[in-house]
Amino acid sequence: MRISIKTLACGVAAFVVGLIALVGLTSALSSVEALGLKLSENGFDVFDFKSTFLEGSNREWAVYVAGAISIISCIAGVVTLVLGGLSALFKKFEGAAKKMMIVSLICTLLYMVAGIIYNLQVKAIGGDGSDYVTVTYTTSAFLPFIFAVIFTVAYFVCAKLVPDIYIYGVRNQADEAALAQKAAAKQAREEIAAASAAPYTAPAQPAQPAADAPMSDERRVELLAKYSQLLKDGAITQEEFDEKKKELLSK
């Protein structure tokens, strides 16, 4: 188990989106208020595909639509909750958590649409009241979608900008190997750079300015071999290798 600032931030964001998809089902599909009394139905109320408002009418299809979407949203929310929490601890769950977060976001969108349709059907049956009674019909099914969008955006912002710095746990073998390779490549580059910059004085020859000293074939081959190994390790690019090769061959 290893936790970095990035995985923690992204995992929390995905977890919250799943929580919104689940808890958002408590938002009213339709809320009817008249004479100081207020009745409402939410996603959990239509899990059994029954509605006090629309039962016995020719608009019960809206109940089945809202019920199906609510059940799917509930399942997606629970799965996203679990994967979001796991992705904060284990990087291998990051991809699955991201996909399920998008699914949960879509579910909140569908729940909002279902709430609008459901509320319109309830209003069509209930009417607008009379001169003495005012009836109001509202829905809050749009709230989960708004909050889900906010935390989905937060997820992608964190994935792009938050540094991947460890705050708990140890690196695995792949991490250690990559870090060791990177350190070795850096050290090799520094050694080659120092060797290339160092003046060369041929033994048993009259002293001459370092800038004019020729490089032996053995030294040139040694440096080319090191640059070739850096190229294979990915420490330098092909362009950098060609430039160093040209520079060595000209000495």
Side-chain angles (χ1 to χ4, degrees):
M1 181 173 64
R2 53 192 181 129
I3 304 175
S4 70
I5 298 177
K6 176 180 288 188
T7 58
L8 182 61
C10 292
V12 169
F15 180 91
V16 172
V17 172
L19 184 64
I20 291 171
L22 180 61
V23 178
L25 296 176
T26 59
S27 300
L29 290 165
S30 180
S31 181
V32 181
E33 185 174 1
L35 298 175
L37 298 176
K38 188 174 183 179
L39 297 175
S40 64
E41 287 185 339
N42 57 44
F44 290 114
D45 294 328
V46 295
F47 265 23
D48 56 357
F49 302 104
K50 294 181 180 179
S51 167
T52 303
F53 292 151
L54 300 178
E55 186 175 358
S57 68
N58 60 351
R59 302 175 185 272
E60 286 189 338
W61 59 268
V63 182
Y64 291 100
V65 171
I69 292 175
S70 296
I71 292 173
I72 295 173
S73 183
C74 180
I75 296 173
V78 171
V79 175
T80 307
L81 275 171
V82 175
L83 291 177
L86 290 175
S87 68
L89 305 177
F90 305 98
K91 193 174 182 62
K92 64 180 180 179
F93 292 101
E94 183 178 351
K98 180 179 178 181
K99 292 177 181 178
M100 284 307 305
M101 180 188 65
I102 299 300
V103 172
S104 292
L105 175 64
I106 294 173
C107 286
T108 59
L109 173 61
L110 294 176
Y111 186 75
M112 178 183 70
V113 175
I116 294 172
I117 295 174
Y118 190 92
N119 191 54
L120 288 175
Q121 304 312 308
V122 174
K123 183 176 181 180
I125 292 177
D128 296 326
S130 63
D131 295 337
Y132 304 100
V133 179
T134 300
V135 183
T136 58
Y137 303 88
T138 58
T139 179
S140 57
F142 58 88
L143 292 177
F145 177 66
I146 293 175
F147 286 106
V149 168
I150 292 174
F151 281 94
T152 300
V153 172
Y155 176 94
F156 287 103
V157 171
C158 292
K160 185 70 174 178
L161 301 180
V162 175
D164 197 15
I165 301 175
Y166 288 94
I167 57 177
Y168 179 79
V170 296
R171 300 176 177 86
N172 57 28
Q173 293 181 353
D175 292 328
E176 295 293 351
L179 289 173
Q181 183 180 12
K182 185 176 180 181
K186 181 180 180 181
Q187 182 179 359
R189 293 183 68 175
E190 292 175 350
E191 291 177 355
I192 293 175
S196 299
Y200 174 77
T201 303
Q205 291 186 6
Q208 53 183 321
D212 299 329
M215 181 178 293
S216 67
D217 291 339
E218 292 80 3
R219 185 58 177 169
R220 187 179 292 108
V221 171
E222 179 184 352
L223 292 177
L224 282 174
K226 287 188 175 182
Y227 279 122
S228 178
Q229 185 61 44
L230 286 175
L231 178 62
K232 291 180 181 179
D233 294 338
I236 62 176
T237 64
Q238 183 66 46
E239 290 75 12
E240 291 175 324
F241 174 78
D242 293 338
E243 181 181 348
K244 290 296 182 181
K245 180 179 178 181
K246 182 179 179 180
E247 178 183 337
L248 289 174
L249 293 178
S250 64
K251 291 185 178 182

